[in-house]
Amino acid sequence: MSNRVVASAARANLAERPQADVLIIGGGINGVAAFRDLALQGVDVVLIEKNDFISGASAASSHMIHGGVRYLENGEFRLVHEAVRERNDLLSTAPHFVKPLQTTIPIHSAFSGLFSAPLRMLTHRSGKPKERGALLIKVGLILYDSFSRDGGKVPRHEFHGRQHSRRLLPDLHSGVKYTATYWDAAIRDPERLGQDLIRDGRQAGGSNARAVNYTSAVALSGTDVVLEDGPTGRRIPFTAKVVINAAGPWVDLVNGALGRSTRLMAGTKGSHIVLEHPELLAATGGRELFFENSDGRIVLIHPLKDRVLVGTSDIEHNIADPAECTEDEVDYFIQLIAQVLPEISVERSHIVYRFSGVRPLPDHDDLPPGFVSRDYRIDRDDLNPGGPRIITLVGGKWTTFRASAENLADYALAELGRKRKLSTRGLAIGGGKNYPVTDHARHAWIELHNERIGSHRAETLLDRYGTIAHDVIEAILADEADAPLHTLPEYSTAEVRFLAQTEDVLRLTDFVQRRTDLAFTGQISPEILSEVAQLLAPTLGWREGRAAVEVHRAMEQFAGLQGQESADSELAL
Ligand SMILES: Cc1cc2nc3c(=O)[nH]c(=O)nc-3n(C[C@H](O)[C@H](O)[C@H](O)COP(=O)(O)OP(=O)(O)OC[C@H]3O[C@@H](n4cnc5c(N)ncnc54)[C@H](O)[C@@H]3O)c2cc1C
């Protein structure tokens, strides 16, 4: 069954068939990965997401797929081991979006932190963050390399003195005495990888794998979970044998709606800015700069999509409030760039996008945010007698999504008395299937599609969608009215329609923020929004006037997310 049919049928038939073996609440990366895993096991599964898929914490990451070298000093060896393994796997299973990332740490001293770090590792909680000196970082990276030993896909770390470091990165602060360089990975399009997982799940499970966005779990009625359809407000009592609470930082609010009072989470807010700044981009030399800011926080300057991503903060946050990147955070980010690249002038006008989210961290009492475990755990509980078993994911990083989803699915399978049919380990994801990784294979793929659509377009679509590009090309060729967009000639009308029809687009912002990278790369203008909205309107059956409302809302939202100081952005649509 095509994704197009399954996507639209799922929303419609939630009310017609309000039951499934497993109900997953929360369509962030962990929820969609659990959805795919269970669908692959042949389980009747429903995934609901209150907003759009991959719009919560999963849309706020630093785009790193990493073992977490800094977690070593907190003694989180289990997590680092699993995360390095998952990073290595993702380089093979999602090569269209996950790419190796060279990461350089600028270091100002030789011995700093030697005493405080082991103490932190032993006590897991004491000690103010102190600057990490060269020796400490060297030990950490030797350990980190050792975690990569089996099946290592990335080169080992390198250490350089001042002169060599200046040759590699001429704009570095003159106080930098050493640099350490190691390899992790970056995810270019996290929101698109989320779409790939949903697509995989639907393809595996057909009408028994239903994923619906803009639908929330709002209450419990007897043993049913009451779902609310966002667009209509319609309420649906839903019966499931097992409920997976994958609501990330909102886990306690979901439990509260289901009549359970928990305090499992205490997430911290983290923000980023995206800069369009060719000089800064060039100064990174294509590497992520990962370093300690003057306050001891680990921060990063990450070249991505011809832009530079800078982050991040770590601020205690009340989950009932929206997360926004404040002007103080912007000041902090601009200042941190000056710590390592002092000659490069950065202004607010370079900012093309900013975003913020809440890390799903476990409740941590008075432990400072930097020391809180980034590992995850799974809690099991009876919702109420005779009702479904509830399984809650507490924590969980982007990097480890496959492993945490596998664990969630195993818990659910055990509750259902069923056996796992298939491991997701090593299974290619979406457009990563048969992705041409070598230059030769890439050239051959483009040549294959050249005659039908032209090599430039074939390559653009391959970069955007991986091998799902093949389906996009078929849709484009089947659409006689296809034409480049006037305001955005790199996209065409049939491509926009394909995404709208197959990927659950409900709002204009879904399209520009999460189906494409137009917002992230700062390509939003009233003209582009207007043209895209006019195209979406007939495809999505919008009533007269809805396109104008969508454009107005999107403009209001993006006004606050670019460089200028402005009134708080209106994030809730
Ligand atoms: C600033 C920052 C930087 C980070 N950087 C990295 C990084 O570089 N690498 C890395 O590996 N990890 C990183 N992380 C961590 C990672 O992003 C998260 O741990 C991960 O995305 C959590 O995914 P999730 O699916 O559990 O939660 P979420 O993505 O938050 O998904 C939960 C979903 O539940 C939905 N929901 C809530 N209530 C309801 C309801 N009642 N009904 C239905 N749905 C509901 C929400 O709308 C949300 O979409 C970072 C996180 C932050 C905040």
Side-chain angles (χ1 to χ4, degrees), residues 239-496:
T239 311
K241 293 180 186 144
V242 178
V243 172
I244 295 179
N245 181 350
W250 294 277
V251 148
D252 290 318
L253 296 187
V254 167
N255 279 341
L258 301 183
R260 298 169 72 232
S261 170
T262 56
R263 180 156 164 83
L264 300 170
M265 311 297 295
T268 60
K269 182 183 81 155
S271 302
H272 292 85
I273 53 175
V274 182
L275 301 141
E276 185 166 6
H277 195 316
E279 194 190 353
L280 178 62
L281 183 65
T284 65
R287 299 148 182 258
E288 176 182 71
L289 301 178
F290 194 57
F291 59 100
E292 244 178 286
N293 196 12
S294 46
D295 59 357
R297 272 205 44 64
I298 304 290
V299 291
L300 53 97
I301 301 176
H302 182 173
L304 194 69
K305 294 173 174 276
D306 281 339
R307 307 287 185 268
V308 184
L309 178 65
V310 179
T312 173
S313 42
D314 205 352
I315 301 168
E316 301 286 357
H317 182 78
N318 179 352
I319 192 60
D321 298 333
E324 286 165 5
C325 175
T326 63
E327 296 306 325
D328 284 348
E329 287 174 284
V330 171
D331 289 338
Y332 177 82
F333 297 142
I334 291 179
Q335 164 273 327
L336 74 83
I337 299 169
Q339 296 271 318
V340 287
L341 302 167
E343 299 302 322
I344 296 183
S345 153
V346 176
E347 310 283 339
R348 276 185 153 67
S349 58
H350 291 116
I351 302 172
V352 293
Y353 191 56
R354 53 171 105 171
F355 57 92
S356 195
V358 182
R359 297 177 182 84
L361 301 183
D363 187 19
H364 50 269
D365 297 326
D366 55 353
L367 197 63
F371 295 135
V372 180
S373 169
R374 264 48 176 176
D375 209 345
Y376 63 87
R377 66 170 205 272
I378 292 170
D379 277 13
R380 254 192 307 193
D381 196 1
D382 278 320
L383 192 54
N384 64 357
R389 178 72 99 166
I390 187 159
I391 297 169
T392 300
L393 177 66
V394 182
K397 294 193 64 65
W398 241 104
T399 308
T400 49
F401 73 80
R402 191 212 59 83
S404 47
E406 184 176 69
N407 279 315
L408 283 170
D410 283 344
Y411 273 82
L413 288 169
E415 292 297 336
L416 297 171
R418 293 174 64 160
K419 288 220 160 17
R420 173 169 287 279
K421 289 184 183 166
L422 178 75
S423 170
T424 51
R425 181 121 198 251
L427 201 64
I429 299 172
K433 285 178 202 134
N434 304 319
Y435 184 76
V437 278
T438 62
D439 286 350
H440 178 74
R442 184 179 171 83
H443 184 73
W445 195 96
I446 293 166
E447 267 310 298
L448 189 69
H449 295 86
N450 175 26
E451 223 168 83
R452 302 180 77 203
I453 198 153
S455 62
H456 173 70
R457 195 137 180 233
E459 186 165 19
T460 303
L461 295 173
L462 181 66
D463 286 342
R464 260 180 215 155
Y465 307 109
T467 50
I468 302 285
H470 180 79
D471 296 2
V472 185
I473 291 171
E474 292 304 322
I476 288 171
L477 295 173
D479 187 333
E480 286 175 4
D482 182 50
L485 266 61
H486 299 294
T487 55
L488 204 63
E490 285 287 294
Y491 280 86
S492 80
T493 54
E495 184 180 349
V496 173

Side-chain angles (χ1 to χ4, degrees), residues 26 28-30 49-50 57-58 60-62 64 216-217 247 249 396-399:
I29 187 58
N30 285 308
E49 163 54 48
K50 181 177 184 171
S58 301
S61 86
S62 303
M64 285 159 68
S216 43
K397 294 193 64 65
W398 241 104
T399 308

Side-chain angles (χ1 to χ4, degrees), residues 13-39:
N13 98 1
L14 215 51
E16 282 164 28
R17 189 164 71 84
Q19 73 227 24
D21 286 338
V22 181
L23 171 68
I24 303 172
I25 301 173
I29 187 58
N30 285 308
V32 300
F35 170 75
R36 173 192 189 239
D37 193 324
L38 286 166

Side-chain angles (χ1 to χ4, degrees), residues 137-175:
I137 291 170
K138 179 84 191 162
V139 171
L141 289 176
I142 291 172
L143 202 56
Y144 197 54
D145 279 346
S146 75
F147 279 89
S148 266
R149 232 179 356 226
D150 55 334
K153 295 253 173 359
V154 298
R156 287 173 182 258
H157 82 273
E158 288 176 357
F159 230 84
H160 297 298
R162 189 196 298 260
Q163 279 183 359
H164 192 94
S165 302
R166 299 277 298 176
R167 273 200 298 280
L168 293 173
L169 296 163
D171 295 293
L172 267 190
H173 193 292
S174 57

